[in-house]
């Protein structure tokens, strides 16, 4: 079974097996035209958004047409089309991380909706939350095996939800003052959230306290708590503001990875300044090779 999937700006999907070349490409199947159907160049410009469930081999795909298409990658076919009744295009998708039956979507007008695939689309809505309205939803995350959902909007608000409640249980407000929130990712098990703007990458605990920050527009040391190591070659000056297009938190180690629109992949790792100085160009290149 494929163990990873990638989606590029050309709206093309590739599925990969570990240590192998892509095993499935939309150039070879009907996925190309079907996925593109979710990403027509409409004014909302949501593009193609996906969520991959490796355990079940299911891929969720959505976009401007306000539908979520469920793909079985092993069969290379769309097995379900779910209409998400909303006034805006789909900007993000997340799933429960286990069976893939429960999934959440965010859209351009601030709606967060959780749905159950096992139920009819007209009655399968588990929760509807509109507290982000009218700000666009940047990302939504369902903690695997839990009733907790985390969402973030462009105005900088991060909200924690419980599927058993109609209102948010906690709000982390204005995480990036004077900047637009571009991306948010929550840890699968630890109470840690990472947010990113064009100026700063920040880490927060569940009490709403900042536990770390790294400049997003340059590499190098950031205070005494953390450093940024650019996998493409440490030491290159980043003077140009870039947009964070994707990010992830390691499931077991205190490591975060983010991808920016300029093609740069950066690894963020906490370290005590008294124990380890910022890496040099040579050491960073060696570690990236390893």
């Amino acid at each position: 079974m494929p163990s990873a999937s990638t989606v590029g700006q050309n709206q093309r999907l590739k599925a990969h097996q570990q240590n192998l070349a892509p095993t499935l490409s939309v150039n070879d199947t009907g996925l190309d035209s079907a996925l593109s159907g979710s990403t027509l160049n409409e004014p909302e410009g949501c593009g193609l958004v996906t969520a991959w469930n490796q355990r079940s081999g299911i891929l969720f795909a959505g976009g401007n047409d306000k539908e979520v298409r469920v793909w079985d990658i092993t069969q290379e076919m769309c097995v379900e089309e779910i209409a998400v009744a909303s006034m805006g295009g789909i900007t993000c998708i997340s799933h429960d991380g286990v069976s893939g039956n429960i999934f959440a979507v965010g859209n351009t007008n601030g709606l967060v909706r959780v749905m159950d695939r096992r139920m009819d689309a007209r009655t399968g809505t588990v929760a509807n939350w509109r507290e982000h309205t009218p700000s666009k939803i940047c990302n939504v995350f369902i903690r695997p095996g839990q009733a907790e959902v985390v969402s973030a909007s462009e105005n900088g608000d991060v909200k924690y939800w419980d599927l058993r409640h109609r209102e948010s249980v906690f709000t982390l407000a204005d995480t990036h003052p004077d900047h637009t929130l571009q991306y948010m990712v929550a840890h699968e098990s630890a109470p840690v959230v990472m947010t990113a703007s064009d100026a700063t990458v920040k880490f927060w605990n569940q009490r709403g306290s900042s536990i770390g920050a790294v400049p997003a527009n340059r590499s190098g040391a950031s205070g005494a708590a953390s450093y940024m190591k650019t996998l493409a070659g440490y030491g290159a000056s980043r003077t140009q503001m870039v947009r964070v297009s994707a990010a992830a938190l390691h499931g077991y180690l205190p490591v975060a990875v983010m991808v920016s629109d300029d093609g740069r992949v950066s690894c963020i790792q906490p370290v005590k300044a008294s124990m380890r100085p910022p890496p040099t160009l040579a050491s960073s290149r060696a570690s990236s090779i390893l």
Side-chain angles (χ1 to χ4, degrees):
M1 179 181 295
S3 59
S5 64
T6 57
V7 177
Q9 286 187 335
N10 58 359
Q11 318 292 351
R12 298 186 180 277
L13 166 76
K14 289 187 178 181
H16 305 257
Q17 287 183 345
Q18 188 175 7
N19 300 325
L20 295 177
T23 57
L24 169 65
S25 171
V26 293
N27 294 325
D28 307 320
T29 71
L31 283 170
D32 187 11
S33 58
L35 284 174
S36 298
S38 297
T39 59
L40 298 176
N41 294 322
E42 297 180 4
E44 291 173 349
C46 297
L48 173 64
V49 293
T50 62
W52 164 245
N53 188 330
Q54 180 179 345
R55 178 175 298 185
S56 62
I58 293 296
L59 177 81
F60 296 87
N64 292 333
D65 64 355
K66 308 175 185 62
E67 282 190 347
V68 174
R69 290 180 171 86
V70 183
W71 293 86
D72 187 332
I73 299 300
T74 58
Q75 299 183 53
E76 303 180 8
M77 63 180 297
C78 179
V79 296
E80 195 171 1
E81 294 184 0
I82 303 172
V84 179
S86 69
M87 298 300 294
I90 298 171
T91 59
C92 52
I93 307 176
S94 179
H95 56 78
D96 58 14
V98 184
S99 63
N101 289 322
I102 305 295
F103 69 95
V105 298
N107 69 6
T108 55
N109 61 10
L111 172 68
V112 177
R113 174 165 291 172
V114 183
M115 304 187 70
D116 191 334
R117 289 178 52 212
R118 296 166 295 188
M119 302 174 63
D120 185 87
R122 294 169 294 180
T123 59
T125 299
V126 178
N128 270 322
W129 299 306
R130 300 180 182 272
E131 292 184 19
H132 286 290
T133 304
S135 185
K136 175 182 175 181
I137 302 298
C138 298
N139 205 6
V140 62
F141 181 83
I142 303 179
R143 293 197 188 275
Q146 302 182 34
E148 183 180 23
V149 180
V150 185
S151 62
S153 55
E154 284 188 341
N155 65 357
D157 289 351
V158 178
K159 292 182 179 289
Y160 292 81
W161 311 88
D162 190 312
L163 291 176
R164 297 163 292 188
H165 299 277
R166 295 184 178 181
E167 299 178 349
S168 59
V169 296
F170 179 76
T171 298
L172 182 60
D174 200 15
T175 55
H176 294 264
D178 302 322
H179 292 275
T180 299
L181 180 63
Q182 297 176 344
Y183 203 85
M184 180 279 297
V185 60
H187 196 278
E188 290 186 357
S189 54
V192 176
V193 169
M194 170 182 165
T195 61
S197 70
D198 59 2
T200 314
V201 178
K202 296 182 179 181
F203 297 86
W204 310 84
N205 61 23
Q206 203 157 1
R207 295 190 298 270
S209 301
S210 176
I211 57 176
V214 178
N217 62 330
R218 64 178 178 86
S219 57
S222 175
S226 59
Y227 69 87
M228 177 179 287
K229 179 174 60 178
T230 304
L231 300 183
Y234 184 85
S237 176
R238 299 181 63 186
T239 58
Q240 190 176 20
M241 296 292 186
V242 294
R243 181 176 180 85
V244 176
S245 57
L249 295 172
H250 195 283
Y252 306 103
L253 301 176
V255 176
V257 175
M258 69 176 189
V259 181
S260 54
D261 279 354
D262 62 355
R264 191 179 294 264
V265 180
S266 299
C267 177
I268 305 174
Q269 175 180 347
V271 63
K272 293 183 178 179
S274 58
M275 296 177 59
R276 181 176 179 181
T280 63
L281 176 61
S283 64
S284 178
R285 286 178 175 172
S287 62
S288 64
I289 294 175
L290 294 177

